[in-house]
Structures are given as C-alpha cells and as structure tokens.
Amino acid sequence: EVQLLESGGGLVQPGGSLRLSCAASGFTFSSYAMSWVRQAPGEGLEWVSAISGNGGSTYHADSVKGRFTISRDNSKNTLYLQMNSLKAEDTAVYYCAKSGPPMAVRLADYWGQGTLVAVSS
Amino acid sequence: QTVVTQEPSLTVSPGGTVTLTCASSTGAVTSGYYPNWFQQKPGQAPRALIYSTSNKHSWTPARFSGSLLGGKAALTLSGVQPEDEADYYCLLYYGGTWVFGGGTKLTVL
C-alpha cells in the first residue's frame, strides 16, 4: 500500500525558511517522480514542484521559482521541499504526491494527507 | 500566465448526469495536455480519478468518464450518487509545468 507522510509544517515569519519532508513507503521510491501541490485556505489546488525519480530533473512553478527547491534522498525514501524567503501567500496545506509513469501524463496518482504551513508575523 | 478555467459550481440530481469542463487560456485542450481529474471532499486530500484524458485508475467508479469536448477536457458523471458531492479539479500539462483549474463545486441535490 502506497503511503506518503508529510512533516515539517508550522508557523514561520515572512522572509523565513522551512523544510518539508515526505516519507514514502509501499513502492520502489526511486522509480517514480514525485511532486508537491499546495492549497491555500479555502482555495483551489496549485502545483508547486516536481522531481524525476533519480532527482536529475526538477521543475518549479513560476510563483516559487528561485525561492523553493525540491529534492529527494532515495536511500531514505524521502522527498523534500526547501522553502526560503517565505511570503504570506505561501500559507497553505502542502501535499506530496506520487506520480505514475510517465510524470507528464500522471503527475499525482497518490497523495499524502498534507502539512500546514502558515506564514505570519 | 496560463489560466485553466472550470465551472465554479454545478448542481445535479441524484441519478442524473453532469459534465464538468476544463478550458485552457492557450487555446483548445488536446490529448497532449494529458488532462487529469481529481476529486476532493471536505477535510480530505485530493484523490485521482482520471489521467491522460480518459484513463481511469483502478479505484475510479465506472460512472466517471473523461473525454475531450469542444476544445475542452471534460469529466462526465453518469448516475450521480450522493457521495459524489465534492470539489473536482482538472490538471493540464504545459511542457514542464502543470496548471490546475480553479475547481468545480458539485452539489448533489
């Protein structure tokens, strides 16, 4: 059974940093691309970042480019999202998602339960 | 700034049929945008329903179907059940980036 467990969310001041983690189990982690998707309170879904199975290719939405970095440690079956220069508009529940092959076709087959990031002074 | 547009809300009667659509600001949606559809119920994570226009996941109920319709991606629910009341999101691929639609709130009444 595919399981995705996000952690690392919390309250952070504007301009601050936070690193989210997503522990994966139930599948061969290194064989699948992974993504982060966020949802601001009461709003819709927004794709944030994606990474290939071997970590060699990464993709970021324009809204986070230059501030967020997606990465993975396949030896630890863990996905990360390093978030710097956080803004109030980054406040959201952040979901990690497992892609089906190929990533372009099936970005998010399975989803975690999400972790809340709140950016406020 | 690419915008993906869905109906903000739709209402359907139990047992009825409803079609949700997904349009792109760049023009007609084709199979190359690999449309995906997701369902989200209050307080829950989204759940994938359809990928690559019309392909169902193993857990997707048979009453859900995806297609291309009039230059848009479409999700049709036939024989709607009360438990289908939820928010539905489409997702389109733009060559290295992905954009979600704003979502459709489906009410079963």
Side-chain angles (χ1 to χ4, degrees):
Chain A
E1 179 193 4
V2 173
Q3 292 195 348
L4 301 169
L5 185 61
E6 302 94 337
S7 61
L11 177 63
V12 60
Q13 292 188 339
S17 298
L18 211 56
R19 188 177 82 156
L20 305 183
S21 299
C22 173
S25 61
F27 63 100
T28 304
F29 183 67
S30 60
S31 294
Y32 293 91
M34 299 289 293
S35 293
W36 289 98
V37 175
R38 68 184 180 184
Q39 186 170 35
E43 301 295 324
L45 301 174
E46 180 187 11
W47 170 73
V48 175
S49 301
I51 187 168
S52 61
N54 64 9
S57 297
T58 61
Y59 310 88
H60 296 277
D62 287 345
S63 59
V64 305
K65 204 169 288 184
R67 299 188 301 123
F68 290 12
T69 302
I70 189 171
S71 63
R72 63 193 298 161
D73 186 336
N74 287 344
S75 69
K76 296 182 178 179
N77 288 353
T78 302
L79 175 72
Y80 302 102
L81 186 66
Q82 178 66 45
M83 303 185 296
N84 299 331
S85 304
L86 282 160
K87 308 174 183 179
E89 51 264 42
D90 295 317
T91 293
V93 173
Y94 284 74
Y95 295 101
C96 95
K98 169 188 174 291
S99 297
M103 174 170 58
V105 176
R106 297 169 60 169
L107 180 75
D109 283 1
Y110 293 89
W111 297 65
Q113 286 304 304
T115 186
L116 177 62
V117 172
V119 184
S120 174
S121 54
Chain B
Q1 175 81 356
T2 301
V3 177
V4 176
T5 302
Q6 299 180 242
E7 297 86 0
S9 64
L10 291 170
T11 300
V12 61
S13 300
T17 297
V18 64
T19 296
L20 289 63
T21 68
C22 174
S24 173
S25 62
T26 61
V29 176
T30 65
S31 58
Y33 287 82
Y34 305 120
N36 279 237
W37 290 92
F38 302 88
Q39 178 192 64
Q40 186 180 34
K41 296 182 179 180
Q44 296 184 15
R47 181 176 74 141
L49 291 174
I50 300 286
Y51 64 94
S52 194
T53 304
S54 58
N55 294 277
K56 299 179 187 181
H57 293 279
S58 58
W59 53 82
T60 303
R63 61 184 180 274
F64 291 85
S65 63
S67 64
L68 295 176
L69 202 61
K72 300 179 183 180
L75 176 70
T76 299
L77 287 70
S78 304
V80 171
Q81 301 297 306
E83 60 264 29
D84 297 333
E85 184 163 292
D87 294 327
Y88 291 85
Y89 295 92
C90 67
L91 175 69
L92 300 181
Y93 174 66
Y94 293 89
T97 64
W98 290 262
V99 181
F100 281 95
T104 296
K105 183 177 183 60
L106 182 66
T107 300
V108 181
L109 202 59

